[in-house]
Amino acid sequence: DAGITQSPRHKVTETGTPVTLRCHQTENHRYMYWYRQDPGHGLRLIHYSYGVKDTDKGEVSDGYSVSRSKTEDFLLTLESATSSQTSVYFCAISDGGGNYEQYFGPGTRLTVT
Amino acid sequence: QQQVKQSPQSLIVQKGGISIINCAYENTAFDYFPWYQQFPGKGPALLIAIRPDVSEKKEGRFTISFNKSAKQFSLHIMDSQPGDSATYFCAASIKTSGSRLTFGEGTQLTVNP
């Protein structure tokens, strides 16, 4: 998985609790992305980062926040989890600089009860 | 707004046959069109990609055909094998917008032995 790890790999949480998912890369790539995957929707971009402390929203950013304090780590936080955020979350990386290719991590399965 | 539409949702092919998956896009600013392959419990893996300045790209048994005027592109898998059974996603991105990927809904391919 191109030097990308995600933690935790599985999590069950209750509605209203905060949740943080972590993506860690060893490739020193500039760009990092968070997507969610739901049946019938493919993957949808939540947030992305184009450098340390530089982030921007994707198409489904409501209810999510992100932070990137180091090149290698990109955190996704659900401030108050809802059942509609039950999904599989994927992190991806890209080195930019004319190279479009994105490589995905193994995913985190999150269930909000 | 679904900017990339993929069909069919599911496809069953006999071993040795040709698998064809189609995608159509709306945004003419897209300048990169990758295909991803995903096995159950894994992250999407980049399979093959094309840019709009060429009409076809072939890598082994996998070929992308691209029709810029029709805003369509397709994946052809020649001599399909049971090991090709997976979910396939088309996607599109724009380099100047951080190369954020917009995905199709996915096609579940089953290759029968």
Side-chain angles (χ1 to χ4, degrees):
Chain A
D1 290 320
I4 309 169
T5 56
Q6 293 184 231
S7 58
R9 294 293 315 278
H10 302 271
K11 185 171 183 65
V12 179
T13 192
E14 293 185 348
T15 299
T17 60
V19 176
T20 295
L21 308 183
R22 179 181 183 237
C23 177
H24 178 79
Q25 60 145 329
T26 58
E27 306 296 323
N28 199 37
H29 281 1
R30 177 185 174 191
Y31 291 84
M32 298 185 76
Y33 310 80
W34 278 108
Y35 294 86
R36 60 177 289 174
Q37 183 174 28
D38 305 289
H41 290 277
L43 289 89
R44 293 178 290 175
L45 181 68
I46 304 171
H47 283 279
Y48 72 105
S49 169
Y50 47 96
V52 173
K53 297 186 180 179
D54 292 323
T55 64
D56 204 351
K57 296 179 180 180
E59 63 177 298
V60 290
S61 59
D62 288 349
Y64 302 94
S65 63
V66 290
S67 65
R68 191 171 178 199
S69 59
K70 299 184 290 184
T71 297
E72 58 265 36
D73 290 325
F74 192 32
L75 304 180
L76 177 70
T77 297
L78 291 65
E79 300 291 346
S80 177
T82 67
S83 59
S84 64
Q85 293 176 313
T86 292
S87 187
V88 181
Y89 292 86
F90 288 99
C91 173
I93 64 174
S94 173
D95 67 2
N99 184 354
Y100 293 71
E101 297 176 354
Q102 284 188 31
Y103 299 96
F104 284 77
T108 294
R109 182 173 294 277
L110 176 67
T111 302
V112 183
T113 61
Chain B
Q1 180 185 6
Q2 184 65 42
Q3 293 196 57
V4 178
K5 294 191 176 181
Q6 183 172 346
S7 63
Q9 281 190 319
S10 62
L11 180 62
I12 300 174
V13 175
Q14 291 300 119
K15 178 182 176 181
I18 302 174
S19 304
I20 302 175
I21 304 171
N22 301 298
C23 284
Y25 64 96
E26 299 171 6
N27 189 345
T28 56
F30 286 139
D31 56 5
Y32 174 69
F33 302 88
W35 284 89
Y36 282 83
Q37 179 188 56
Q38 185 180 30
F39 293 105
K42 304 292 187 182
L46 180 63
L47 189 61
I48 186 172
I50 198 168
R51 299 189 187 184
D53 53 345
V54 298
S55 60
E56 186 175 282
K57 183 174 182 180
K58 183 176 180 180
E59 290 184 1
R61 295 184 295 109
F62 301 92
T63 299
I64 298 179
S65 297
F66 185 82
N67 186 329
K68 188 174 182 178
S69 61
K71 293 188 288 185
Q72 295 176 346
F73 59 110
S74 60
L75 175 69
H76 295 236
I77 306 174
M78 311 299 288
D79 187 27
S80 299
Q81 299 296 313
D84 296 330
S85 297
T87 301
Y88 292 81
F89 293 95
C90 63
S93 71
I94 306 169
K95 182 176 184 293
T96 55
S97 68
S99 298
R100 297 171 291 176
L101 289 168
T102 298
F103 282 87
E105 302 93 330
T107 297
Q108 186 166 353
L109 172 66
T110 302
V111 182
N112 289 327

